Amino acid sequence: MSLALDPAAQDLLFREARTANTFTDEPVTDEQVRAIYDLVKYGPTSMNQSPLRVTLVRSPEARERLVRHMAEGNQPKTAAAPLVAILSADNEFHEELPHLFPHFPQAKDAVFAERPVREGSAALNAALQAAYFIIGVRAAGLAAGPMTGFDFEGVRKEFLDDDHTPLMVVNIGRPGPDAWFPRSPRLDYEQVVTTV
């Protein structure tokens, strides 16, 4: 059985896509980022909680502050990428639930009154949305370089607040020369799927 999605789109989003390590200097515009978000916002999250928050690092001063918190191997590519996004989980997402989950507006207090519950749910669902965001970057014809090699607490203090937990930093742009490492192996279907 074949997939409904066109094979070229399958390649763009999955088979040919890789984490980019170099980028051209072609800018990534706010319009491109808005188009990416306007597509990926439809990806499902539990109770439509949508806890992902995106901080775009555009100014040279902000970029310099971010690069200091990146692992040594990630510093040059973060310094050179046309756009860098900090993806974080909003641990106060429940404040939006009366709007986002209108058929159960009391979920804000009935389910998510306690901060540890919110933090666990925000981390899981924002991670889902981060994956959608990466696919959206690819759908825009751009390359993404997601990284978790950075000082999480340093990035939180520098760019966020106590209500936001950083998840990853994503370099975004058109792939540059030698942007790709060789494709790493993947697990086969039989190694992953079990029928009971």
Side-chain angles (χ1 to χ4, degrees):
M1 177 178 173
S2 62
L3 300 173
L5 188 65
D6 180 79
Q10 295 173 38
D11 289 343
L12 176 71
L13 300 179
F14 295 100
R15 290 192 197 99
E16 300 300 324
R18 291 186 178 71
T19 295
N21 293 288
T22 68
F23 298 89
T24 69
D25 59 3
E26 181 180 332
V28 177
T29 67
D30 288 337
E31 292 77 16
Q32 287 172 299
V33 177
R34 180 176 293 276
I36 291 165
Y37 175 73
D38 284 342
L39 173 65
V40 303
K41 68 183 179 184
Y42 294 107
T45 57
S46 175
M47 299 176 80
N48 199 34
Q49 61 189 245
S50 306
L52 181 71
R53 302 296 178 262
V54 181
T55 303
L56 300 179
V57 181
R58 287 206 179 273
S59 74
E61 298 80 16
R63 183 74 62 100
E64 188 175 306
R65 287 169 29 224
L66 177 60
V67 167
R68 285 196 301 260
H69 296 289
M70 301 303 296
E72 185 177 347
N74 292 332
Q75 289 179 353
K77 53 191 170 186
T78 302
L83 179 63
V84 181
I86 301 168
L87 305 188
S88 63
D90 182 356
N91 297 307
E92 298 298 308
F93 69 86
H94 68 308
E95 297 294 342
E96 302 293 338
L97 282 181
H99 167 70
L100 292 173
F101 206 57
H103 55 283
F104 184 28
Q106 61 271 35
K108 172 183 178 284
D109 299 313
V111 179
F112 296 110
E114 296 181 15
R115 175 73 178 236
V117 173
R118 292 196 306 272
E119 288 178 349
S121 194
L124 172 63
N125 286 281
L128 281 173
Q129 288 187 286
Y132 304 149
F133 184 84
I134 293 165
I135 299 300
V137 168
R138 294 172 177 177
L142 300 170
M147 300 166 292
T148 56
F150 61 92
D151 175 1
F152 280 70
E153 185 60 17
V155 167
R156 188 193 62 74
K157 287 181 178 177
E158 191 82 43
F159 294 96
L160 306 171
D161 59 31
D162 289 340
D163 291 331
H164 293 80
T165 303
L167 300 172
M168 66 183 66
V169 172
V170 183
N171 296 328
I172 303 169
R174 300 263 179 218
D178 300 317
W180 321 115
F181 294 146
R183 170 74 79 193
S184 295
R186 297 297 192 265
L187 296 175
D188 292 329
Y189 179 88
E190 293 76 16
Q191 294 174 281
V192 174
V193 178
T194 304
T195 302
V196 294

